Amino acid sequence: GENVEQHPSTLSVQEGDSAVIKCTYSDSASNYFPWYKQELGKRPQLIIDIRSNVGEKKDQRIAVTLNKTAKHFSLHITETQPEDSAVYFCAAGRGGSNYKLTFGKGTLLTVNP
Amino acid sequence: DTAVSQTPKYLVTQMGNDKSIKCEQNLGHDTMYWYKQDSKKFLKIMFSYNNKELIINETVPNRFSPKSPDKAHLNLHINSLELGDSAVYFCASSQGSTPPEQFFGPGTRLTVL
């Protein structure tokens, strides 16, 4: 089955700096790579996703890159703000009748004002 | 107009008891999921149902029994609760198999004493 590794497990940055979180996956058939943000005591919420026919996607201060050959994808957050502090999860999945997401173990991002 | 809802939000019970968690989605989605998030924040899929049919069962002890009375509801019944069952349980839903975004419920924090 799919295995997703996520690094680092914790990340502390100063407000205004950039943050990068990296994930690798094992199943070359995976074709969907979402990133979820989970604030303390809240539900995971999708912030951006990328599909395997695209190499990069941006949404304001957030960008995701995908390298299918190397089987890794990354989340980039620029101009970080204190409200970006949360746990971020990467995941990998593939479509089909038994579609499921396999999640990385999460990165606790702390943005210091 | 909550998209995915769960009840109860908190559940505190004694070892050996039987308990149920309910999930409802009003998004018209055809697939629903149960995830377990342990104390280390690791999110792991337990079950998925598509149109009331069990699709994924991820080596979960048979003390856990999901039931889907209709497409909009997926309940989780747990027999003979153990200390290790303490976790946050999230319900999620999605539509189609392209693969699609998963929408999470608010979670149920289960504490077994």
Side-chain angles (χ1 to χ4, degrees):
Chain A
E2 176 65 275
N3 182 47
V4 177
E5 299 282 341
Q6 182 172 347
H7 298 280
S9 56
T10 61
L11 180 58
S12 181
V13 300
Q14 288 300 121
E15 184 176 357
D17 287 351
S18 295
V20 180
I21 302 170
K22 299 184 178 184
C23 289
T24 60
Y25 62 99
S26 61
D27 185 353
S28 55
S30 288
N31 57 3
Y32 177 60
F33 306 93
W35 287 87
Y36 282 82
K37 175 183 180 182
Q38 186 179 27
E39 295 175 357
L40 190 61
K42 301 279 180 69
R43 75 189 77 192
Q45 292 203 288
L46 181 75
I47 54 170
I48 195 167
D49 57 13
I50 191 166
R51 297 176 190 273
S52 60
N53 56 349
V54 174
E56 183 174 357
K57 185 176 177 181
K58 274 183 102 167
D59 182 2
Q60 299 182 347
R61 296 185 298 109
I62 294 172
V64 58
T65 58
L66 171 65
N67 183 327
K68 279 173 54 181
T69 306
K71 295 210 274 289
H72 65 70
F73 56 113
S74 301
L75 178 72
H76 305 252
I77 306 175
T78 57
E79 299 170 33
T80 53
Q81 300 165 5
E83 50 266 39
D84 294 330
S85 297
V87 178
Y88 290 81
F89 292 95
C90 64
R94 56 172 166 164
S97 58
N98 60 347
Y99 162 62
K100 68 172 185 178
L101 287 177
T102 301
F103 283 82
K105 292 193 174 180
T107 296
L108 174 61
L109 173 65
T110 304
V111 180
N112 302 300
Chain B
D1 59 345
T2 307
V4 184
S5 58
Q6 292 178 231
T7 53
K9 191 166 172 61
Y10 300 97
L11 190 48
V12 181
T13 188
Q14 300 285 335
M15 261 195 325
N17 283 350
D18 303 339
K19 289 293 177 189
S20 291
I21 306 172
K22 296 187 175 185
C23 178
E24 177 181 0
Q25 53 95 5
N26 63 5
L27 297 166
H29 288 170
D30 58 10
T31 306
M32 296 183 73
Y33 312 81
W34 278 111
Y35 285 88
K36 179 180 180 181
Q37 186 170 47
D38 62 23
S39 57
K40 293 184 179 174
K41 301 292 188 187
F42 186 40
L43 259 174
K44 188 162 170 33
I45 190 163
M46 301 172 68
F47 302 103
S48 79
Y49 269 75
N50 179 271
N51 286 315
K52 303 195 300 173
E53 185 182 340
L54 178 66
I55 301 298
I56 292 172
N57 181 341
E58 287 283 304
T59 347
V60 178
N62 57 15
R63 297 183 296 104
F64 289 78
S65 51
K67 279 195 171 52
S68 181
D70 57 57
K71 247 175 48 165
H73 296 85
L74 180 63
N75 303 323
L76 184 65
H77 187 77
I78 316 170
N79 288 328
S80 305
L81 278 155
E82 300 178 357
L83 293 177
D85 298 332
S86 295
V88 180
Y89 291 85
F90 286 99
C91 176
S93 72
S94 67
Q95 173 64 30
S97 58
T98 37
E101 174 184 355
Q102 290 187 13
F103 293 81
F104 282 79
T108 295
R109 180 173 293 277
L110 171 64
T111 304
V112 182
L113 304 174

